[in-house]
Amino acid sequence: MKRKEIIIVGGGTAGWMTANILAHSFKEANVSISLIESENVPVIGVGEGSTPALRNFFDLLNIRESDWMPACNATHKTGIQFDNWSTVKGYQKYFHSFPSMVDQQTQNHFIHNAQLRAAGINLPANPSDFYLAAKIAQENKKPLANDNFPFEIDYAYHFDSNLLGKFLQNLAVNSSVNHVIGHVNDCKINSNNDIEYVVLEDDKQIHGDLFIDCSGFKGILINRLQGVEFVSYEKELFNDAAIAISTPLSSDSIKAQTKSTALKYGWAWQIPLSNRIGNGYVYSSKYVNKESAEQEFKEFLQVDGKELSVRHLSFKLGRLNKHWQGNCLAVGLSQGFIEPLEATALLLIQQTVGKFVDAYQQGNFNSQHRDNFNQQINNDFDGIKDYIVLHYTLNSRQDTEYWCDNRDNLAHMSNRLQQLILGWQTGRDISKLVVKLGLHNHYPISSWYAILAGYGYFPSDLRATEQSAYIDVLPKTQEFLRRCALNFPRYNN
Ligand SMILES: Cc1cc2nc3c(=O)[nH]c(=O)nc-3n(C[C@H](O)[C@H](O)[C@H](O)COP(=O)(O)OP(=O)(O)OC[C@H]3O[C@@H](n4cnc5c(N)ncnc54)[C@H](O)[C@@H]3O)c2cc1C
């Protein structure tokens, strides 16, 4: 049987993650994998947070944390702390935890309280108070328990994206991925809408059976194919620019959390790595110019007047209608981008490549299978997009038009989000509603509770008459979490 040639264009995180997954998945198959990377186009070089799914990626490749984390200045992440998105008393901050086995009981308490609070009963329902993940982050601890503690807790990572790219490159090259340095200038598309070969700067042609476009925002291959269109999210999500600045690590600053603080025209991330803090301001250029945004961000970071390297980036939010067209698959920024509020880009890369490998191994190459695949990936993107839209809808800030416009943008949100909000406001059991609307396919039910309750987005009246009939389980929960947290070591000791 003729050897299949897979050509990946692009050596950013998407390209190298894809190369590793394919090299692993096809190690028994008669397949050759080459990755072409331009020296003239730098990688995006931001993207320092993940979801817990990144653990599965390293597990698949049999790479231990001790192998890759020090090489990428990586730290653990148990969730995201949202500050100042809400002005509701008691809810100006909340923590969105990655829930794990140990949270079963306390999570039930949280959902119980949140559901009753939505029905008008005065119970505390800030998710930060109910999860071990939040407690561990608050106490500057690592999510790695000592041997006495019988539960594992789930977590994700922070990392230096340039170092991660280098690490993955070495790994792939050692797994026999052929690394070609060259700038792709053109590609030849045949009458079936398939790519036959790409043409490099020196006119060299590289032929392949399957082309994977990991070339970043430009999507230099996929966008050449007929039938591929960009579906914009700009009506639902206003941000289109970011500023990135690194600052030194202070001795006590490692918390296993990404911090997301709402500013006047967007939000700022703060990500602790083992050697520095990665900071960024994601904002909408329709509401503020880049100079004012930079000024505001520097004041927030308290680095005004200091010599620091400042990067400005712009982006458009949305996705392709077809991620797999003909013999070309788009992966990474070439297939779409949702803003990094929930750090989901690497997750989408994993999902895309994982689902593609399943289809490829079954030999499913007809247009019906491609359509099914594309529909699944579109659902993955749109589901995450919905969750991110909800952050903006639920904000209660009054300080700028940006926040008010975001809140008032209900007409552009998806129908299922509108139904969810209506259900919540009318005190319905949203566990069932989330499932009915299919939202649990993208975030667990507890995360939908966390976001609604985390913003203090409750009906204003405490309409229940029998307030005293309900027992507040929070004190017991907190005592349980305090004792659990004793089993985890602190950073910096
Ligand atoms: C502000 C911001 C914050 C983000 N934060 C997060 C986060 O916290 N978590 C997360 O998961 N993701 C985040 N992301 C997304 C994340 O950075 C990307 O998904 C990830 O880095 C993958 O990028 P990529 O490999 O698709 O593209 P790139 O890094 O842009 O790589 C493109 C590659 O293609 C090559 N190339 C381009 N043109 C050619 C050509 N003509 N010929 C040959 N090669 C070519 C380039 O040389 C490069 O190697 C963020 C993105 C932005 C913009």
Side-chain angles (χ1 to χ4, degrees):
M1 220 169 69
K2 187 177 165 282
R3 194 170 64 160
K4 292 257 189 247
E5 301 285 342
I6 301 182
I7 311 294
I8 301 170
V9 175
T13 319
W16 290 116
M17 279 182 89
T18 304
N20 278 294
I21 296 173
L22 296 186
H24 174 83
S25 307
F26 298 146
K27 58 178 179 269
E28 310 293 336
N30 192 14
V31 163
S32 138
I33 304 170
S34 299
L35 183 147
I36 309 172
E37 180 185 13
S38 171
E39 277 182 321
N40 313 334
V41 185
V43 297
I44 188 123
V46 281
E48 301 185 325
S50 83
T51 66
L54 195 62
R55 292 178 78 183
N56 305 339
F57 170 77
F58 283 112
D59 286 349
L60 176 82
L61 302 179
N62 212 4
I63 305 294
R64 289 169 306 192
E65 287 186 350
S66 55
D67 295 329
W68 78 270
M69 286 186 72
C72 303
N73 295 333
T75 61
H76 299 96
K77 165 181 175 187
T78 62
I80 307 175
Q81 162 95 19
F82 292 89
D83 281 15
N84 299 342
W85 288 68
S86 168
T87 56
V88 178
K89 196 161 167 268
Y91 296 88
Q92 293 97 333
K93 290 175 186 210
Y94 87 93
F95 194 88
H96 182 199
S97 304
F98 302 126
S100 35
M101 219 161 104
V102 69
D103 294 312
Q104 283 306 321
Q105 192 189 351
T106 59
Q107 179 168 285
N108 286 344
H109 291 165
F110 162 61
I111 289 179
H112 171 266
N113 275 21
Q115 189 68 62
L116 286 173
R117 180 65 189 79
I121 292 147
N122 190 16
L123 286 173
N126 188 321
S128 314
D129 299 331
F130 291 84
Y131 284 87
L132 184 56
K135 183 90 178 148
I136 284 172
Q138 279 156 14
E139 294 186 355
N140 296 58
K141 290 185 164 173
K142 286 184 192 175
L144 306 171
N146 65 34
D147 274 358
N148 297 333
F149 194 69
F151 301 98
E152 266 210 17
I153 81 161
D154 211 1
Y155 55 80
Y157 304 102
H158 303 122
F159 46 82
D160 180 316
S161 68
N162 288 308
L163 295 178
L164 180 65
K166 294 249 157 20
F167 183 89
L168 296 177
Q169 174 182 330
N170 285 336
L171 204 61
V173 170
N174 287 334
S175 311
S176 73
V177 171
N178 180 24
H179 187 194
V180 180
I181 300 292
H183 186 86
V184 173
N185 262 350
D186 200 1
C187 65
K188 163 83 178 155
I189 298 166
N190 66 21
S191 54
N192 293 332
N193 208 21
D194 281 332
I195 299 174
E196 277 185 17
Y197 55 82
V198 293
V199 186
L200 302 190
E201 238 170 0
D202 58 4
D203 288 336
K204 187 174 169 197
Q205 297 175 0
I206 300 188
H207 289 250
D209 299 291
L210 172 70
F211 289 83
I212 308 202
D213 187 344
C214 297
S215 65
F217 280 122
K218 282 202 173 140
I220 58 166
L221 303 182
I222 193 83
N223 287 313
R224 298 280 306 277
L225 296 172
Q226 270 173 26
V228 175
E229 283 160 22
F230 186 75
V231 179
S232 173
Y233 290 153
E234 70 180 345
K235 289 209 165 95
E236 293 155 278
L237 293 169
F238 300 161
N239 296 339
D240 58 1
I243 307 171
I245 300 179
S246 291
T247 53
L249 198 63
S250 66
S251 61
D252 62 353
S253 57
I254 291 198
K255 284 191 189 293
Q257 65 176 32
T258 297
K259 197 159 155 192
S260 157
T261 308
L263 300 183
K264 281 191 197 157
Y265 308 100
W267 60 277
W269 79 74
Q270 288 172 287
I271 289 185
L273 305 188
S274 62
N275 64 332
R276 64 170 169 84
I277 310 260
N279 308 280
Y281 183 12
V282 179
Y283 65 94
S284 167
S285 66
K286 292 178 206 80
Y287 291 82
V288 64
N289 63 38
K290 63 194 257 200
E291 292 76 21
S292 305
E294 184 178 321
Q295 181 61 29
E296 185 197 359
F297 188 36
K298 284 181 163 172
E299 281 166 18
F300 166 72
L301 294 176
Q302 300 182 330
V303 295
D304 213 8
K306 289 195 184 154
E307 281 290 310
L308 289 167
S309 136
V310 178
R311 276 190 68 198
H312 284 266
L313 301 114
S314 56
F315 46 78
K316 52 181 188 174
L317 302 184
R319 59 161 172 82
L320 299 179
N321 62 337
K322 294 181 179 181
H323 309 259
W324 179 7
Q325 175 74 323
N327 64 345
C328 181
L329 174 74
V331 181
L333 297 174
S334 60
Q335 68 179 136
F337 182 50
I338 316 175
E339 64 154 88
L341 188 56
E342 292 277 343
T344 44
L346 301 194
L347 168 73
L348 286 163
I349 292 171
Q350 279 176 261
Q351 286 177 339
T352 303
V353 183
K355 285 175 182 163
F356 178 77
V357 167
D358 288 346
Y360 196 88
Q361 281 172 335
Q362 290 163 27
N364 294 331
F365 289 109
N366 63 32
S367 60
Q368 191 198 335
H369 286 111
R370 271 195 294 264
D371 289 349
N372 287 344
F373 171 88
N374 286 325
Q375 192 53 53
Q376 284 179 40
I377 305 299
N378 288 341
N379 288 343
D380 292 343
F381 266 81
D382 292 350
I384 292 173
K385 181 262 296 168
D386 271 352
Y387 195 79
I388 289 178
V389 167
L390 201 50
H391 279 285
Y392 290 94
T393 311
L394 301 181
N395 97 81
S396 43
R397 290 175 67 113
Q398 300 288 348
D399 54 334
T400 57
E401 230 182 322
Y402 169 87
W403 287 108
C404 298
D405 288 354
N406 265 298
R407 193 168 46 249
D408 295 343
N409 198 29
L410 293 169
H412 286 116
M413 73 184 346
S414 68
N415 190 272
R416 58 185 181 173
L417 271 193
Q418 295 188 20
Q419 289 188 52
L420 179 72
I421 288 183
L422 185 66
W424 177 252
Q425 281 177 331
T426 50
R428 259 182 86 179
D429 175 352
I430 63 150
S431 309
K432 292 191 188 110
L433 189 57
V434 163
V435 174
K436 187 171 160 221
L437 298 171
L439 293 167
H440 65 301
N441 294 321
H442 312 292
Y443 278 87
I445 293 171
S446 59
S447 287
W448 296 97
Y449 274 100
I451 192 168
L452 288 157
Y455 283 85
Y457 191 76
F458 300 112
S460 49
D461 58 324
L462 292 168
R463 55 185 175 273
T465 45
E466 291 287 320
Q467 293 285 345
S468 57
Y470 297 92
I471 298 163
D472 180 6
V473 287
L474 185 58
K476 274 197 172 167
T477 306
Q478 297 246 284
E479 179 56 12
F480 175 74
L481 294 179
R482 185 190 71 76
R483 293 170 72 174
C484 287
L486 295 175
N487 295 283
F488 292 80
R490 281 175 69 86
Y491 274 105
N492 305 330
N493 64 1

